[in-house]
């Protein structure tokens, strides 16, 4: 009965408008054979088809079999903070609503000003909170991952560690202390700068601060890096993450009788030394502060007892992870979670949607449509982004839209916008539908005072 | 004049401790103050060391000021907020002004050693280059209120009206965008003014409307003055370059004028903000009571920064210019 009462409360607290979000509360208690679950994510690791010389392969090879591999998996934001928030809630960042972390200034002051979007708010349910209603105990382990506290909503425990080498001990001790009932372990690895390069000594501008200078004045400020050195460091970081995840996955799969499933992947990607994909402007070195295919397309694999090894090549996205874990646990997905079960048969019209700052991207089939309205230093929550998106195609500057065939052109060197106007229009319509629908900022969330604070915040970059 | 530097250090150290609770940067402020005390009062210290230390301290204080900036809805001259693509162009421009403040007194007297001349040259370059460096400017647009779009209370001709608030990114150089930036500042002031009135109305405050309108009127006028002083600083930079080439004593009017422009551009905003804040507090405006210590730290930090730079410039005059 208490579980049913809680589920009723859950259904009432799902937010959004009553007519669009009809909650289907779970009506069953915990299933007898509920599996142990793991979600293991590293920041900044992108897919391998884009010239990382084996980073993803090194990552995959370090993980156990059997597994389902998703080739076209997209995070909802290139910013790890927003991406993880989206994964944990099954919602697009704007619908949580979650702004990314401010990048500079007196953080104490500015984050307090953005408290309404600086963390997962009460009333928005995370996968940990939902599974908790089904008897799950849950642990979030964050390793050098800024803002993890703000994402720990619904977890039974949160342990923040500095080094990746401390993750295994944190998981092991918690695992031993919670031997009964099904368990959910979520691990997020970072290096404090949204990448997997923390251990490397690569030369670069301080991320998010001087990177604009790096691209505009090459004679004065261009950092010369050795491409091989970059890829070596990137691959080493990926292999190290796989090593950590392999140990954690072994622990999660160690129960003698209880089945287990582990979802392993990356929160977001990054651009290494490539310069293309941002119109005429060169992309800064080693960055995730721009919405590009390589900053949002990431590896993902699901490891489980009944997972027939296969490769899924239809687009999938971060918000799908929560419904997947809920389905494995036999839980009902709360209203507002917009994703689909990754282990269910893929839907042919499946798309992936991401947003960051003044940029929105939509992947459909082989193509990626990118919208950008040149609101520097803005947040994707800004209503102007929606208004600019809604403006008729003929009235907006040509540079606002770019279309790429990602299968043939993963580095986004050739903009097909003028060659395929029909596709641009169709994909834009889908983009608008998501931006104003499942990804819309909840009505009433942005008050005049909040809008002022959002727009006046000193950010030194998109957020 | 080195005493002035030392005194500034004492003020910085004490205020850093006093305001430490308001900022995580307290240790840097206190450390900077201690260094300034040493530079100012240590006997037998070479003037060049005193000057170099002061310049570094001023630049550090400026950096802290810029990166410690936060959104301020209260009537204030927000000259730190990036109007272009990033915080850094504005920071570099202000650094250039500080360097000119240090070097111009001696250079305009026809004096200055290699380092001081380098300092002047770098300052002039930063000040001039800023205005011709291409950026994207965010221009705010006010339109008729439309259902479903973000609306803001805006003061127009003395009345509060509801307007939609949109934005657009416009490419351009600061010098070419100046008229649009000036108009934009007026629009932002009208929005912030309207928000202040609306917040007061919702809080049941009936008094203070006239004072608030007066303060916002002052803010709008002062913003224009500060922005134009920034433009005029290009003329100061040109004058300093001329001084570097000519190596003769400039007319007194030119020297005083150059200092005045730099002081208005650098000291004007914090002095104006302190004055507006004090007037608001005295008049009982609720928004003036929001984080007064933080505001004091931001304004005080900039004043200290300019004071240190000015002191460093004065330290160099006797040796390099021979006027004292």
């Amino acid at each position: 009965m208490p579980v049913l009462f809680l589920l009723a409360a859950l259904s009432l607290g799902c937010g959004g408008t009553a007519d669009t979000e009809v909650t289907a509360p779970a009506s069953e208690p915990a299933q007898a054979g509920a599996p142990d679950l793991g979600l293991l994510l590293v920041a900044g690791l992108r897919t391998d088809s884009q010239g990382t010389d084996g980073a993803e392969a090194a990552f995959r090879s370090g993980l156990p079999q059997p597994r389902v591999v998703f080739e076209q998996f997209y995070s909802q934001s290139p910013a790890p903070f927003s991406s993880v928030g989206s994964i944990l809630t099954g919602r697009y960042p704007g619908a949580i609503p979650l702004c990314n972390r401010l990048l500079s200034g007196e953080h104490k002051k500015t984050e307090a000003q953005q408290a309404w979007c600086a963390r997962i708010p009460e009333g928005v349910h995370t996968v940990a909170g939902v599974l908790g209603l089904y008897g799950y105990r849950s642990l979030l382990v964050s390793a050098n991952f800024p803002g993890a506290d703000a994402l720990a909503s619904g977890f039974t425990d949160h342990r923040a560690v500095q080094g990746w080498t401390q993750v295994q001990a944190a998981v092991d001790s918690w695992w031993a202390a919670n031997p009964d009932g099904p368990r959910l372990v979520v691990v997020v690895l970072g290096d404090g700068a949204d990448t997997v390069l923390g251990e490397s000594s690569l030369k670069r501008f301080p991320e998010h601060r001087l990177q604009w200078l790096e691209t505009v004045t090459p004679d004065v400020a261009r950092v010369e890096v050795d491409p091989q050195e970059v890829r070596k460091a990137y691959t080493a970081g990926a292999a190290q993450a796989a090593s950590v995840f392999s140990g954690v996955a072994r622990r999660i799969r160690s129960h003698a009788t209880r089945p287990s499933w582990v979802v392993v992947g990356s929160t977001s990607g990054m651009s290494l030394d490539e310069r293309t994909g941002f119109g005429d402007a060169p992309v800064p070195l080693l960055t995730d502060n721009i919405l590009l295919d390589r900053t949002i397309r990431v590896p993902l694999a699901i490891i489980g007892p009944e997972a027939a090894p296969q490769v899924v090549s239809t687009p999938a996205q971060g918000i799908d992870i929560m419904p997947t874990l809920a389905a494995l646990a036999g839980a009902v997905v709360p209203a507002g979670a917009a994703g689909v079960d990754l282990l269910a048969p893929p839907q042919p019209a499946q798309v992936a949607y991401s947003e960051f700052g003044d940029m929105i991207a939509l992947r459909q089939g082989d193509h990626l449509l990118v919208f950008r309205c040149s609101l520097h230093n803005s947040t994707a929550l800004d209503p102007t982004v929606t208004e600019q998106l809604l403006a008729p195609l003929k009235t907006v500057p040509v540079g606002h839209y770019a279309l790429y065939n990602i299968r043939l052109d993963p580095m986004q060197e050739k903009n097909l916008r003028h060659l395929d106007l029909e596709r641009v229009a169709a994909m834009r319509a889908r983009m608008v539908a998501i931006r104003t629908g499942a990804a819309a900022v909840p009505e009433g969330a942005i008050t005049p005072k909040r809008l002022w604070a959002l727009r006046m915040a000193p950010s030194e970059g998109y957020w | 004049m080195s005493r002035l530097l030392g005194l500034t250090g004492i003020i910085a150290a004490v205020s850093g401790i006093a305001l430490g609770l308001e900022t995580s940067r307290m240790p840097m402020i206190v450390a900077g103050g201690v260094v300034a005390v040493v530079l100012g009062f240590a006997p037998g210290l070479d003037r060049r060391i005193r000057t170099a230390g002061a310049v570094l301290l001023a630049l550090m204080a400026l950096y802290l000021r810029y990166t410690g900036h936060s959104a301020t809805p209260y009537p204030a001259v927000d000259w730190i907020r990036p109007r272009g693509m990033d915080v850094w162009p504005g920071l570099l421009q202000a650094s250039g002004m500080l360097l000119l403040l240090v070097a111009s007194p001696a250079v305009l007297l026809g004096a200055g050693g290699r380092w001081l001349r380098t300092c002047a040259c770098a300052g002039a370059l930063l000040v001039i280059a800023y205005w011709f460096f291409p950026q994207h400017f965010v221009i705010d647009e006010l339109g008729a209120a439309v259902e479903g779009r973000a609306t803001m209370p805006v003061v127009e001709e003395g009345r509060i009206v509801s307007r939609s608030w949109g934005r657009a990114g416009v490419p351009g150089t600061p010098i070419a965008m100046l008229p649009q930036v000036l108009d934009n500042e007026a629009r932002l002031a009208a929005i912030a003014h309207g928000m202040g009135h609306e917040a007061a109305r919702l809080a049941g405050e009936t008094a203070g409307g006239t004072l608030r309108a007066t303060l916002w009127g002052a803010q709008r006028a002062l913003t224009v003055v500060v922005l134009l002083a920034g433009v005029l600083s290009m003329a100061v930079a040109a004058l300093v370059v001329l001084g570097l080439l000519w190596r003769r004593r400039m007319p007194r009017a030119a020297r005083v004028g150059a200092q005045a422009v730099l002081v208005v551009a650098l000291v004007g905003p914090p002095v104006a903000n302190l004055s507006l804040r004090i007037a608001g507090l005295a008049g009982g405006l609720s928004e003036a009571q929001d984080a007064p210590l933080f505001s004091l730290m931001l304004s005080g930090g900039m004043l200290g920064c300019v004071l240190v730079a000015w002191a460093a410039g004065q330290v160099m005059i006797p040796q390099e210019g021979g006027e004292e």
Side-chain angles (χ1 to χ4, degrees), chain A residues 104-110 113-114 208-213 215-217 278 281 358 372-378 382-385 387-388 390 397 400 446-462, chain B residues 21-25 63 66-73 78 81-82 84-89 92 133 135-141 148-153 165-170 188-189 191-192 195 216 290-291 294 297:
Chain A
S104 70
E106 191 60 40
H107 285 186
K108 182 177 133 188
K109 176 79 176 168
T110 49
Q113 289 171 338
Q114 318 297 339
H208 305 307
R209 285 180 176 268
L210 288 175
Q211 62 178 7
W212 65 272
L213 189 65
T215 59
V216 294
T217 55
F278 199 51
D358 61 358
R372 178 181 175 233
C373 57
S374 295
L375 289 175
H376 289 298
N377 297 347
S378 69
D382 195 318
T384 290
V385 178
E387 287 158 15
Q388 297 273 346
L390 289 171
H400 277 201
I446 296 186
T447 62
K449 198 172 178 181
R450 287 174 176 177
L451 185 58
W452 176 270
L454 279 180
R455 290 180 170 174
M456 295 297 119
S459 60
E460 289 189 11
Y462 301 109
Chain B
L21 293 177
E22 288 293 313
T23 171
S24 58
R25 287 141 189 254
Y63 172 80
Y66 264 78
T67 56
H69 184 56
S70 63
T72 310
D78 195 349
R81 181 175 51 77
M85 192 167 176
D86 215 316
V87 172
W88 283 89
L92 294 175
F133 197 84
Q135 301 177 45
H136 273 82
F137 287 80
V138 174
I139 299 299
D140 298 270
E141 298 161 340
R149 293 179 66 178
T151 60
M152 303 295 286
W165 181 19
R167 312 191 102 183
V170 180
L188 284 174
I191 296 172
M195 282 174 53
W216 276 109
D290 177 33
F294 189 74
M297 185 198 71

Side-chain angles (χ1 to χ4, degrees), chain A residues 28-52:
Chain A
E28 298 176 7
Q31 292 183 350
D36 287 325
L37 297 171
L39 172 58
L40 314 178
L41 302 167
V42 61
L45 180 62
R46 73 190 204 194
T47 53
D48 220 10
S49 61
Q50 301 152 309
T52 62

Side-chain angles (χ1 to χ4, degrees), chain B residues 56-82:
Chain B
L56 290 176
L57 278 178
L59 292 176
M60 185 196 80
L62 188 69
Y63 172 80
L64 290 176
R65 173 66 188 91
Y66 264 78
T67 56
H69 184 56
S70 63
T72 310
Y74 181 74
V77 180
D78 195 349
W79 84 109
I80 299 287
R81 181 175 51 77

Side-chain angles (χ1 to χ4, degrees), chain A residues 29 44 61 86 107 126 128 147 151 177 205 230-231 250 266 280 329 346 359 399 417 433 435:
Chain A
S61 66
S86 188
H107 285 186
T126 62
L151 303 172
F205 276 101
V230 168
R231 281 154 184 77
R250 263 198 306 276
S266 171
D280 294 331
M359 298 162 273
R417 181 189 188 280
R435 173 77 186 181

Side-chain angles (χ1 to χ4, degrees), chain B residues 98-145:
Chain B
L98 272 184
L99 293 176
L100 288 183
L101 195 62
V102 172
S104 62
V107 169
L108 295 182
L109 284 168
R114 186 177 52 177
W115 289 108
L116 201 67
R117 295 168 66 79
T118 305
C119 179
C121 197
L125 184 69
L126 288 171
V127 164
I128 294 172
Y130 166 79
W131 290 99
F132 300 97
F133 197 84
Q135 301 177 45
H136 273 82
F137 287 80
V138 174
I139 299 299
D140 298 270
E141 298 161 340
L142 292 174

